Amino acid sequence: MQEMELICFQLITAAGGAKSNYIKAVQKAKQGNYEEADHLILEGDEMMKQGHLPHADLIQKEAAGEAVSMGLILTHAEDQMMSAEIFKVMAEEMIDLYRKLESK
């Protein structure tokens, strides 16, 4: 049980850090600093990779027939990962819009 909690908190931490970087990236783009915005998106992606590794391990365990307990913490962790992924898409769209607006 403690191992599962540790994995869940790794997922939550990675997703939270990534989402924070994506939000900062939009703020930098709003200021016209697209180089920093791009850098923050990449940093966020690296954080998400850190979360995807233990998540993929859980999926592989379940696919191999090993039971994976689906508790509230894992549900929250997966929700945080999905929201970070969605926010990344929205951040990239917003940054692109700021670039287009600036070029006009």
Side-chain angles (χ1 to χ4, degrees), residues 4 6 10 14 19-20 22 27 32 41 44 54 56-57 67 75 77 79 84 87 90-91 93-94 102:
M4 178 58 86
L6 178 61
Q10 287 174 329
K19 194 178 349 177
S20 291
Y22 300 147
Q27 293 168 342
I41 292 288
D57 287 343
T75 302
D79 179 57
F87 199 89
M90 297 305 298
E93 290 296 320
M94 292 174 75
E102 189 174 287

Side-chain angles (χ1 to χ4, degrees), residues 72-98:
L72 184 59
I73 295 174
L74 181 55
T75 302
H76 177 65
E78 292 208 342
D79 179 57
Q80 292 302 303
M81 290 183 69
M82 286 187 298
S83 70
E85 289 174 5
I86 291 167
F87 199 89
K88 178 194 175 189
V89 172
M90 297 305 298
E92 289 175 330
E93 290 296 320
M94 292 174 75
I95 292 166
D96 187 47
L97 282 171
Y98 280 124

